[in-house]
Amino acid sequence: MAALMDYLIVSIILLAIGIYGLTVKRNFIRMLFAVEIIINAANINFIAFSTFTQTAAGQSFALFSIAIAAAEVAVGLALIIVVYRIYKDIDVKGLNRLSG
Amino acid sequence: MSDPYFIAVSAITIASAIIALEFKELIYGAIALAVMLLGVAVLFVLLDATFIAMFQITVYVGAVVVLIIFTIMLVRREAWLRLDEGGRRRVMGAVVALATIALLTAMVVSSNIVSGDGSAISIVELSDQMLTYYSPVLIVLALTIASSVIGALVLAKVERGKSIEKEQGEEVQEPTELSSMDLSRADTSHSGSDNDSSSSIDMDMGVGKGSGTDTDIGGK
């Protein structure tokens, strides 16, 4: 079994990839992908610390985090559909104006 | 780092995370995201958290990725393939990512974390803790998910009613707030509540004009 440090490093790399995606990408759906990657990095941290410290609280928090992420994706995709119907585009550079 | 399974699964997970962000076609990116989520689930199995792994596969790969793929199929356009991020933006993003990796790895390695024996947590203990100590959190979580899904449905529903009304060109059955705001903005002289056919034609032109300015401003 790999040590705790290895899981932490994998989680850090996934977090950095997610930050790269949020910084660079201008597509709304790609930014949602990046947010998913960051949430999964956090979940790996939760489960790794929960397993290596023998506490069940980390697994409970990972369950809550996964459920919240599902709700976040539902709202995000509804926002994408609304933005697409108003602007006919999901480039976030043009989304600087509120529409009635 | 002697476990070959861990190394293989980590490599697959990280590679598919990069592919999900960098592949040109969005559908293939979504499939790579599904592979990345499956890799994270296998990492959970390697950490002896099988219940969380099953939950991850059910919720993420079963629900979230399918929802994302359907949304991509709804709103996909060819113009997104030519969306340039710019070389400078990409370089700055890579610099930020590498700085994050360097700083956090240095912090974790320099800290004296000792990894314990790492045996499995029984699912009885997990369920007992979730249903007794965290039961208010569970209730609030259920309310949060229900309200957010209802909010998502409402967000997607208003615009669909507007587009159906615009396609059919009929009298508005139940005028929503959004279409009345479009009407008052585009044409102020017909703001009276006449219910004859001329006002409905004016309203249709007003809605079309409003969406035309939307695309013009959005394209700049």
Side-chain angles (χ1 to χ4, degrees):
Chain A
M1 194 174 199
L4 174 60
M5 194 77 77
D6 306 334
Y7 288 100
L8 291 187
I9 289 174
V10 170
S11 164
I12 287 169
I13 293 173
L14 283 180
L15 170 73
I17 292 171
I19 288 175
Y20 167 78
L22 271 186
T23 312
V24 171
K25 297 298 168 185
R26 275 169 39 190
N27 194 327
F28 212 144
I29 298 179
R30 291 246 194 248
M31 295 173 75
L32 209 59
F33 286 3
V35 171
E36 293 302 310
I37 291 170
I38 290 177
I39 290 174
N40 274 282
N43 285 340
I44 290 175
N45 260 356
F46 273 133
I47 301 294
F49 275 108
S50 162
T51 299
F52 285 105
T53 59
Q54 298 291 309
T55 51
Q59 296 202 4
S60 304
F61 283 134
L63 279 178
F64 297 147
S65 164
I66 291 173
I68 290 289
E72 171 254 331
V73 164
V75 175
L77 290 177
L79 279 179
I80 286 173
I81 289 179
V82 170
V83 163
Y84 176 72
R85 290 207 170 125
I86 292 177
Y87 288 91
K88 304 297 177 198
D89 199 357
I90 55 172
D91 187 356
V92 295
K93 200 174 179 182
L95 302 185
N96 50 10
R97 186 179 60 89
L98 292 177
S99 178
Chain B
M1 199 181 277
S2 62
D3 194 357
Y5 296 112
F6 171 75
I7 296 173
V9 172
S10 305
I12 289 174
T13 305
I14 292 170
S16 33
I18 296 174
I19 289 173
L21 287 178
E22 287 298 331
F23 211 88
K24 286 284 182 189
E25 187 73 35
L26 265 178
I27 290 284
Y28 296 153
I31 293 171
L33 185 75
V35 173
M36 176 252 164
L37 296 169
L38 280 175
V40 173
V42 176
L43 282 182
F44 290 167
V45 172
L46 287 179
L47 279 167
D48 289 329
T50 50
F51 181 70
I52 314 291
M54 282 194 303
F55 199 76
Q56 165 102 2
I57 291 174
T58 309
V59 173
Y60 267 117
V61 187
V64 167
V65 172
V66 172
L67 204 63
I68 286 176
I69 285 177
F70 274 120
T71 308
I72 290 171
M73 287 177 176
L74 274 179
V75 303
R76 201 180 82 96
R77 293 178 88 194
E78 293 295 325
W80 296 349
L81 302 182
R82 297 187 296 274
L83 200 65
D84 61 330
E85 284 96 15
R88 186 165 168 269
R89 198 178 167 93
R90 194 183 288 267
V91 166
M92 290 311 286
V95 166
V96 169
L98 290 179
T100 306
I101 289 180
L103 287 177
L104 287 180
T105 306
M107 189 193 78
V108 167
V109 168
S110 67
S111 69
N112 293 318
I113 295 179
V114 288
S115 64
D117 48 356
S119 65
I121 292 168
S122 71
I123 197 167
V124 177
E125 184 185 354
L126 174 64
S127 58
D128 185 46
Q129 199 177 48
M130 277 189 67
L131 292 180
T132 56
Y133 186 70
Y134 289 113
S135 61
V137 183
L138 211 59
I139 294 170
V140 171
L141 187 71
L143 290 176
T144 305
I145 291 176
S147 58
S148 66
V149 168
I150 290 172
L153 285 177
V154 168
L155 271 179
K157 186 171 180 292
V158 170
E159 292 297 320
R160 191 179 64 187
K162 181 185 164 191
S163 70
I164 287 173
E165 156 205 331
K166 196 164 67 179
E167 283 173 6
Q168 291 176 352
E170 290 176 357
E171 190 66 39
V172 192
Q173 301 294 329
E174 293 171 355
T176 57
E177 193 180 348
L178 200 56
S179 63
S180 65
M181 285 174 67
D182 272 342
L183 175 62
S184 64
R185 186 186 62 188
D187 198 355
T188 56
S189 65
H190 285 83
S191 62
S193 64
D194 291 336
N195 279 330
D196 51 3
S197 61
S198 65
S199 109
S200 75
I201 291 174
D202 280 339
M203 186 202 66
D204 285 338
M205 289 173 62
V207 170
K209 210 189 306 178
S211 65
T213 54
D214 284 348
T215 52
D216 281 340
I217 294 176
K220 279 179 187 172

